[in-house]
Amino acid sequence: PKVAMEIVERYGHLMTEPEREAIRGAAQRVLRNLPQSARHYQQIFFAHPVSAQAPEASRALSELRLELGDRYPEAPQSRYLERANVWFDAKDYNRAKDEFTNLTERLDGEEREQARARLAAASYHSGRTQPAYDYLRGQRFQSPAAAAERLYYLGAAARRMGRRTEMIQYANELASDFPQSPWRLQLLRDLGNTYLLENDHANYSKYFKSCHEAFRGNEDAAYCHWWYTWNTFLRQRPKAR
């Protein structure tokens, strides 16, 4: 075990974090430093559930929980939200949906609201547009982050269902309540793209301009700036740059 730890210390920079944590977890387990072993495996379980080392970590944690009993180092609930978000970012929306569903019952406060918002987002991305929309319509969040995400996905679902007026309504709510939220930027981009696909120069220019002006300096707004400038050029406006 000590040799393994020395290898990690010397060559760890050549390994992925799950590889390093798996070696450390196994070594600490052999050395009978069981709580520390559990912490290494937990890093894999929560931060890298899609890694090749995740099944090994999950098995080891189940065994360590039985062996340690009350001495098992419980992770904070926020780590379970982190794990669910990893599945979401990996676009495994069905797995993410299952994780977020479980967390809506386990978490409290702002973290519960985040789980509920992401539950609807996972449903939306897995093609369950109407259920996601209906679920979010019935939710009200105190957390600014969750509330802004709710408005974005209501707008995105409205777009997918062809409800343009509602989409604009949610964009206006984001402008009023969360003017600097990245979710507002995304919905403005979506609106611009909606009109761009219809070759509606006036409206796509309007929303791309709003996106660019509200989020100057934001790399994600560069797309909006490009399309607004291009449309201005096409219309031969002297202020195009």
Side-chain angles (χ1 to χ4, degrees):
K2 292 182 179 180
V3 173
M5 296 291 284
E6 289 174 1
I7 291 174
V8 171
E9 291 304 315
R10 181 173 298 183
Y11 301 109
H13 64 286
L14 301 176
M15 306 175 186
T16 64
E17 183 177 46
E19 289 171 338
R20 292 193 300 270
E21 293 301 297
I23 294 172
R24 288 167 175 159
Q28 294 291 358
R29 194 174 183 185
V30 172
L31 294 171
R32 304 305 293 167
N33 297 326
L34 301 187
Q36 188 60 37
S37 173
R39 293 186 185 95
H40 288 300
Y41 283 124
Q42 284 172 343
Q43 181 60 16
I44 301 171
F45 181 82
F46 292 114
H48 305 282
V50 301
S51 68
Q53 290 73 29
E56 173 193 348
S58 185
R59 287 192 299 271
L61 287 172
S62 295
E63 294 165 0
L64 287 166
R65 181 182 290 276
L66 288 173
E67 191 167 359
L68 286 168
D70 293 341
R71 295 192 301 121
Y72 182 83
E74 296 291 350
Q77 292 297 305
S78 60
R79 298 228 65 186
Y80 290 90
L81 188 60
E82 174 189 356
R83 172 181 164 85
N85 278 319
V86 173
W87 287 114
F88 185 91
D89 292 340
K91 295 182 171 55
D92 190 337
Y93 297 118
N94 289 324
R95 181 60 182 266
K97 183 175 179 291
D98 291 341
E99 298 265 344
F100 287 125
T101 297
N102 179 264
L103 292 176
T104 60
E105 302 299 325
R106 296 178 56 177
L107 301 179
D108 295 310
E110 183 174 336
E111 290 174 342
R112 174 181 284 184
E113 292 186 345
Q114 290 174 1
R116 287 176 172 169
R118 278 299 166 95
L119 169 59
S123 293
Y124 169 85
H125 285 294
S126 60
R128 302 180 183 94
T129 306
Q130 187 69 56
Y133 181 84
D134 292 341
Y135 179 82
L136 287 173
R137 288 273 292 179
Q139 298 292 321
R140 292 294 183 273
F141 299 139
Q142 297 299 312
S143 161
E149 187 169 1
R150 170 183 175 270
L151 289 173
Y152 169 75
Y153 278 103
L154 282 169
R159 179 195 188 196
R160 187 181 281 176
M161 295 186 293
R163 301 176 184 176
R164 185 75 51 82
T165 301
E166 290 184 30
M167 184 183 184
I168 294 171
Q169 170 196 328
Y170 293 123
N172 290 339
E173 288 187 45
L174 277 167
S176 173
D177 298 343
F178 310 103
Q180 291 301 305
S181 170
W183 294 113
R184 182 192 174 209
L185 187 160
Q186 184 61 53
L187 195 57
L188 286 171
R189 282 183 48 161
D190 290 353
L191 268 166
N193 284 330
T194 298
Y195 287 110
L196 178 64
L197 291 172
E198 297 172 356
N199 206 30
D200 184 336
H201 291 265
N203 275 311
Y204 84 64
S205 181
K206 170 185 173 181
Y207 288 108
F208 284 142
K209 179 183 179 183
S210 294
C211 170
H212 162 61
E213 291 185 344
F215 297 93
R216 290 182 185 274
N218 188 314
E219 290 183 4
D220 291 332
Y223 175 89
C224 300
H225 182 227
W226 191 95
W227 276 109
Y228 170 66
T229 303
W230 176 247
N231 183 61
T232 305
F233 171 76
L234 290 178
R235 296 171 67 88
Q236 298 183 344
R237 295 177 181 172
K239 62 184 177 182
R241 299 182 185 278

